[in-house]
Amino acid sequence: MSDGPLPTTNAPADAAELADLEADSAVEATVEDPTDESIVIEELTKRYGETVALDGITLTVTPGVHGLIGPNGSGKTTLFHVIAGLSNPTAGRIERPPDAVGYSFQEPRFYPELTVRENLSVFRSLDDDPAPVDWIETLLSELRLEPAVDRRAGDLSGGFRKKLDLALAFLSRPTVLLLDEPLADVDEYSRRKILAFFEDYSDDDRTIVVSSHNAAAFEGLYDRITILFDGEIRADGPPDDPDVARYRRFFG
């Protein structure tokens, strides 16, 4: 099921520890009492032909900021797709809040010929129950998109493209946000402002699940972290959990 050997380092001790991680078995995630705002995943499996992308995962994600960490090919994107309803599981069960799930993709998706404001207005018009118009102004300010509001989206720099994609994910004020590399190409000042916005947003019984190779940028923001490896849960708990920290040394 592995996509290939783990990365190695020049230090024999590091190489030995990486080998130990690869040999670890899956663990049972801490399953909390779910609320109406929780994501409940039970024995979830996803296969693509002979490839097992997710292997019997059981996990409850409760409101707050939840980190999803693992190497490339570990199943993080597949899990996001299943939670978002973009892909059906092969087996198992998933429950999510009835509201729409917001999704910020690793590769931003929008109408390149439209301006930033036009993109937000068009996507807002597609919602059955759109958020108030002033929510667009809030997103422009909190995500530091105001300098680019009248620029054609296709002409934006990488950082502004990512911020527009984030704004689209938050546009319907969803209960659940799935953010794939949400700070990619974003400048340091914008990062601090965006992280503060994430924290405030999640305080209102909302869930933000973050997948990022730059997990250190979210230090102090995570309420809980799940380590995904070869389609299995290898560690799960608060950021200071020893097993979580063992994996984070190499993967975030």
Side-chain angles (χ1 to χ4, degrees):
M1 184 164 49
S2 173
D3 289 336
L6 286 167
T8 58
T9 69
N10 292 326
D14 286 351
E17 187 170 356
L18 280 166
D20 288 342
L21 293 178
E22 188 174 38
D24 278 353
S25 300
V27 301
E28 291 288 335
T30 302
V31 179
E32 304 180 27
D33 292 332
T35 67
D36 290 342
E37 293 79 25
S38 298
I39 304 167
V40 179
I41 299 166
E42 292 184 352
E43 294 296 325
L44 191 146
T45 295
K46 178 64 179 180
R47 294 187 181 90
Y48 297 99
E50 297 298 317
T51 301
V52 180
L54 297 172
D55 193 6
I57 288 176
T58 295
L59 179 68
T60 299
V61 181
T62 53
V65 181
H66 193 117
L68 185 64
I69 295 174
N72 289 336
S74 60
K76 303 187 299 296
T77 298
T78 298
L79 182 56
F80 268 16
H81 284 178
V82 173
I83 294 174
L86 300 176
S87 179
N88 294 321
T90 305
R93 183 177 75 90
I94 180 167
E95 292 183 2
R96 62 182 73 79
D99 298 337
V101 175
Y103 196 159
S104 174
F105 295 87
Q106 190 167 1
E107 292 295 327
R109 302 183 183 183
F110 41 69
Y111 293 112
E113 298 300 323
L114 300 182
T115 67
V116 167
R117 185 179 294 280
E118 287 169 343
N119 266 281
L120 292 170
S121 296
V122 167
F123 279 97
R124 177 183 175 275
S125 72
L126 299 177
D127 282 343
D128 293 333
D129 184 20
V133 173
D134 61 2
W135 179 239
I136 289 180
E137 304 307 318
T138 298
L139 292 174
L140 290 172
S141 173
E142 295 296 330
L143 300 176
R144 295 200 72 230
L145 265 169
E146 289 172 324
V149 67
D150 294 319
R151 294 184 200 167
R152 200 176 70 96
D155 295 333
L156 296 176
S157 66
F160 277 117
R161 289 168 67 91
K162 172 53 69 174
K163 288 189 278 188
L164 174 55
D165 192 56
L166 284 173
L168 294 173
F170 280 89
L171 188 57
S172 63
R173 297 195 295 191
T175 303
V176 174
L177 268 298
L178 306 176
L179 306 182
D180 196 348
E181 297 294 347
L183 300 179
D185 299 319
V186 175
D187 66 272
E188 188 58 35
Y189 178 78
S190 294
R191 286 186 180 191
R192 293 196 297 270
K193 189 170 178 66
I194 290 169
L195 289 173
F197 175 61
F198 288 175
E199 186 171 21
D200 289 343
Y201 191 87
S202 66
D203 282 344
D204 193 17
D205 286 333
R206 296 179 176 123
T207 301
I208 297 178
V209 186
V210 175
S211 174
S212 176
H213 290 103
N214 185 21
F218 297 87
E219 210 65 53
L221 196 65
Y222 288 132
D223 297 296
R224 184 171 161 205
I225 293 173
T226 298
I227 304 294
L228 202 60
F229 194 100
D230 275 357
E232 302 172 335
I233 293 175
R234 295 292 184 87
D236 178 76
D240 59 356
D241 179 271
D243 290 329
V244 168
R246 183 167 162 251
Y247 277 87
R248 288 191 67 189
R249 181 175 172 227
F250 296 98
F251 307 119

